[in-house]
Amino acid sequence: MSSRGKSGDGVSPLSLRGLRAIRKRLLAWHDAHQRDLPWRRTRDPYRILVSEIMLQQTRVAAVIPFYLRFLRLFPTAGALARARETTVLRAWAGLGYYSRARNLQATAKRIARDGFPATYEAALALPGIGPYTAAAVMSIACGQPHAAVDGNVRRVLARLLAEHRPSRADAQAEADKLLDRKRPGDFNQAM
């Protein structure tokens, strides 16, 4: 982090501004203004995983019909695991980045065989799952305290830290400090 991002005693600006106040205001805003989205109506980790994979580099409005249709075809990880790849790719058509569909099916095969991962680290070991997706799914579906940091979160943190663009490591460290550990899934979605 640049020298602007730290006070003389090494304390980040977020802690100086009152982490509790920021958390409280952000969650209050989320509670009052969150959009009603189909993946927010479930705690099923498979369905949340599908939404997170679909939402990568795709607008929310575009994902909703694909998500609903995809889950009608493949309502469980087992159903997706058993499907022919051509059927999965046909259902994915229009979302682009077909490697996401292939990785999602490979992940579904592992989940069908071994069950859904119990930890963030185990989720990271799944095909095509990176730190953001693992944190998002494990916090939203399982209530695990992992801050999900993507480009949008980095922009929010840049404003809070008065940084032009915090490094990934600095952004993750600050997001981890800011995370509401009682409501990590809601907090990540609010960010």
Side-chain angles (χ1 to χ4, degrees):
M1 187 177 296
S2 74
S3 59
R4 285 183 306 122
K6 296 257 187 189
S7 67
D9 61 2
V11 178
S12 76
L14 288 181
S15 60
L16 295 174
R17 292 182 184 167
L19 294 172
R20 287 186 191 134
I22 293 170
R23 282 185 203 120
K24 183 177 179 180
R25 290 183 73 186
L26 190 57
L27 284 168
W29 175 87
H30 176 72
D31 291 343
H33 302 288
Q34 68 177 305
R35 290 184 280 181
D36 179 24
L37 300 169
W39 45 86
R40 287 188 174 157
R41 298 178 202 145
T42 183
R43 289 292 172 244
D44 180 332
Y46 165 73
R47 290 171 178 258
I48 293 168
L49 175 65
V50 169
S51 75
E52 288 297 331
I53 299 299
M54 286 185 170
L55 287 163
Q56 293 170 1
Q57 301 179 359
T58 310
R59 289 179 16 261
V60 169
V63 167
I64 292 170
F66 284 96
Y67 175 81
L68 295 171
R69 185 173 54 248
F70 195 85
L71 289 176
R72 277 193 301 275
L73 294 169
F74 315 112
T76 65
L80 180 56
R82 290 185 300 274
R84 296 179 64 155
E85 182 179 284
T86 55
T87 304
V88 174
L89 294 177
R90 201 170 25 251
W92 197 268
L95 282 173
Y97 303 99
Y98 289 91
S99 62
R100 294 182 298 165
R102 288 184 183 96
N103 283 332
L104 181 58
Q105 186 174 34
T107 291
K109 288 176 182 179
R110 296 231 336 239
I111 292 169
R113 183 187 69 220
D114 302 332
F116 202 85
T119 65
Y120 168 82
E121 293 75 19
L124 270 177
L126 295 170
I129 306 299
Y132 173 84
T133 302
V137 172
M138 298 311 286
S139 67
I140 296 166
C142 306
Q144 293 185 13
H146 298 285
V149 178
D150 65 359
N152 293 323
V153 171
R154 284 179 72 191
R155 282 189 285 281
V156 169
L157 289 169
R159 290 182 182 110
L160 290 172
L161 296 167
E163 283 277 325
H164 175 65
R165 183 175 179 153
S167 71
R168 286 185 191 273
D170 287 341
Q172 187 67 58
E174 293 300 331
D176 288 339
K177 282 192 263 183
L178 187 57
L179 180 71
D180 187 290
R181 295 196 172 330
K182 292 178 183 166
R183 296 178 58 193
D186 289 339
F187 187 84
N188 281 330
Q189 292 178 86
M191 285 291 283

